[in-house]
Amino acid sequence: MLKLNVILVYNTNQDKILMCKREKEPYKGKFNLVGGKIEPNENKLKAAYRELEEETGITKQNITLSHLMTFQYPLTNVELQVYTGKLNEEVKLIEEVNKLYWIDKNENFLDTDKFAGDGNIGHILLQTEIYKDKLFNEE
């Protein structure tokens, strides 16, 4: 099974989310959450922090990630781990391959002409908004 992750990163004000513009397939030319492949036998949370740092320069000192959900796609033998977090300080982003953008959280993430994930980003954002007090320890 191919194991992947995506990370929904909020800015410090929680009004924007970090996205990349895909340079290659799948979803070439569309906005997507950052993330990547989980190596065999790699701890899933450590993989999320590794991918986040590789693609953006954001480190574990800048953000606390929480596991939000897991998507399983048996027809393609893919598992997608979804993590979310809020920056605890402003960070200078460092792009790896894909250009990075801060996108207003009120965008229509179900617009599949603009956003990757076949509507999943909208679902991920909605679930994060519903549970953000618990996820970001703001009780």
Side-chain angles (χ1 to χ4, degrees):
M1 178 171 282
L2 177 62
K3 295 185 179 183
L4 306 169
N5 61 34
V6 291
I7 303 108
L8 174 64
V9 175
Y10 282 86
N11 65 348
T12 56
N13 295 331
Q14 293 182 47
D15 59 351
K16 296 185 186 303
I17 63 169
L18 183 62
M19 302 199 87
C20 64
K21 194 148 195 187
R22 297 278 306 162
E23 290 290 325
K24 59 184 181 179
E25 295 296 345
Y27 305 115
K28 183 176 180 178
K30 295 182 181 185
F31 290 101
N32 198 9
L33 300 174
V34 298
K37 293 180 182 167
I38 301 169
E39 301 298 330
N41 301 316
E42 185 177 21
N43 174 283
K44 293 173 183 172
L45 180 59
K46 287 182 181 178
Y49 280 112
R50 176 184 55 75
E51 283 291 345
L52 184 61
E53 185 171 0
E54 287 174 5
E55 293 193 12
T56 69
I58 296 170
T59 69
K60 194 172 183 176
Q61 287 69 45
N62 308 127
I63 194 168
T64 300
L65 297 179
S66 297
H67 182 223
L68 180 67
M69 63 182 69
T70 301
F71 291 102
Q72 292 206 345
Y73 301 91
L75 296 177
T76 55
N77 205 29
V78 172
E79 177 181 286
L80 180 64
Q81 296 283 320
V82 180
Y83 291 85
T84 187
K86 176 187 74 162
L87 289 177
N88 57 35
E89 60 189 355
E90 296 297 322
V91 175
K92 180 174 173 25
L93 299 174
I94 302 168
E95 297 171 353
E96 181 186 38
V97 174
N98 299 310
K99 193 160 175 55
L100 300 171
Y101 298 87
W102 287 106
I103 307 287
D104 188 287
K105 75 174 185 181
N106 295 312
E107 280 277 341
N108 176 13
F109 294 102
L110 298 174
D111 179 352
T112 57
D113 290 331
K114 185 174 182 179
F115 296 100
D118 304 316
N120 281 342
I121 295 171
H123 175 67
I124 291 166
L125 184 66
L126 179 61
Q127 291 297 300
T128 302
E129 287 292 313
I130 290 170
Y131 298 107
K132 70 181 177 182
D133 290 347
K134 184 175 182 177
L135 288 165
F136 304 148
N137 298 316
E138 297 177 350
E139 298 161 79

